Amino acid sequence: MYERDVLAGDWRRPRRGTIPQVPAELDLVVEDADGGFCGAVVACDKEAVTLEDRFGRRRVFPLEPAAFLLEGEVVTLVRPAAAPRGPRRSASGSIAVEGLRAQVARESRIYVEGVHDAALVEKVWGHDLRVEGVVVEYLEGVDHLPSIVEEFGPGPGRRLGVLVDHLVPGSKESRIAARVSSPHVLVVGHPFVDVWQAVRPHVLKIPSWPSVPRGVPWKEGVVAALGWNVEPATAWRRILGSVTTYADLEPELLGPVEELIDFVTVPGEDG
């Protein structure tokens, strides 16, 4: 009946031309030519591609020649070309300096209230600070700020930036900050009772930061209200570990920190 066996030979090879190579882009729907498994591309490396079918089942296939069907046509899947890489960004969103060597520390400084503030600033802005040669120190409270500023001795080329917690009208912190007056000192702050609150709640998978009744230590009250059943130090490690970039922080903290960095790194001001 037939001059030849229609199934003889390599049925995958098109009669004309070569088998097309198709980049295995995400969501491309193809079929395994041997087993008939059909699915969308969800991952691809230099050796294999992962397909997911409409039921959510996944299978891994080697990137072999003529191993797939695309709209009924035999194709060879290949690894997609890597997208052009833009400049790497630091955690603060600035362009990262590759092969960075920390600059010699400036005379100017940034002071924050406590060790938690310093750790958070370091995690997000540490790269920028090392590029600029700015050292961050902590005050262990803001009560003695005027005497600390006097001891620092601010002046041209020796600027001081201070970040204060709970700097709102009428607060104790605002009254203390008002006693500092120098063109070489900038005191800014955020409205939060503690820098913990500057971390956006969704980062920690909580609906919001709880209110703590007056007379209850704030950190202990927060930990109890969240039901974490840990010491505040452990809670802080959890909070800090959840922060990866500036996007994890509230704008009320981002703005003041950026302002301080700009203030202490004014060109020509460093001696």
Side-chain angles (χ1 to χ4, degrees):
M1 295 288 292
Y2 300 98
E3 295 182 359
R4 63 182 179 85
D5 184 353
V6 295
L7 298 179
D10 188 353
W11 62 272
R12 294 178 179 175
R13 187 176 301 281
R15 294 181 180 178
R16 295 181 182 179
T18 59
I19 298 172
Q21 291 187 342
V22 178
E25 303 284 356
L26 293 179
D27 298 326
L28 177 73
V29 177
V30 294
E31 181 180 346
D32 166 39
D34 286 331
F37 184 90
C38 182
V41 174
V42 293
C44 184
D45 58 28
K46 63 181 180 180
E47 296 180 349
V49 62
T50 303
L51 304 182
E52 181 179 290
D53 70 9
R54 61 192 182 94
F55 301 108
R57 297 174 299 195
R58 294 190 177 191
R59 287 186 58 184
V60 179
F61 300 92
L63 292 176
E64 296 179 343
F68 301 92
L69 301 177
L70 176 61
E71 297 180 351
E73 298 294 330
V74 179
V75 297
T76 296
L77 290 186
V78 296
R79 188 180 187 183
R85 290 184 59 188
R88 189 173 67 86
R89 296 280 174 174
S90 71
S92 71
S94 64
I95 295 177
V97 178
E98 302 294 345
L100 169 67
R101 287 182 136 186
Q103 300 296 311
V104 175
R106 291 173 177 261
E107 291 281 334
S108 300
R109 292 285 188 275
I110 291 176
Y111 283 179
V112 298
E113 281 205 48
V115 65
H116 291 182
D117 307 70
L120 189 59
V121 169
E122 163 61 28
K123 184 156 191 182
V124 176
W125 288 275
H127 175 86
D128 308 58
L129 295 169
R130 283 186 287 278
V131 168
E132 298 291 349
V134 176
V135 174
V136 175
E137 301 180 11
Y138 61 93
L139 303 168
E140 297 184 344
V142 74
D143 296 286
H144 305 291
L145 179 61
S147 61
I148 290 171
V149 170
E150 183 178 358
E151 181 182 348
F152 178 81
R158 187 174 170 81
R159 289 187 162 202
L160 178 61
V162 183
L163 180 70
V164 177
D165 297 344
H166 198 226
L167 191 63
V168 296
S171 68
K172 176 192 76 172
E173 291 82 0
S174 66
R175 292 191 294 271
I176 293 173
R179 293 163 53 192
V180 176
S181 177
S182 168
H184 309 295
V185 178
L186 175 65
V187 180
V188 296
H190 57 73
F192 308 117
V193 175
D194 191 277
V195 78
W196 288 20
Q197 287 182 299
V199 178
R200 290 182 164 178
H202 76 268
V203 175
L204 299 165
K205 298 180 173 55
I206 60 175
S208 62
W209 286 102
S211 297
V212 177
R214 287 184 177 274
V216 177
W218 192 85
K219 290 184 173 70
E220 286 80 356
V222 165
V223 170
L226 293 175
W228 283 358
N229 195 30
V230 295
E231 293 296 320
T234 302
W236 169 244
R237 287 193 291 271
R238 178 186 299 183
I239 294 165
L240 185 64
S242 300
V243 174
T244 55
T245 75
Y246 72 97
D248 296 329
L249 304 180
E250 299 286 2
E252 292 87 346
L253 178 66
L254 297 175
V257 174
E258 296 285 355
E259 188 177 0
L260 289 178
I261 294 174
D262 289 343
F263 179 79
V264 300
T265 58
V266 173
E269 281 287 324
D270 188 37

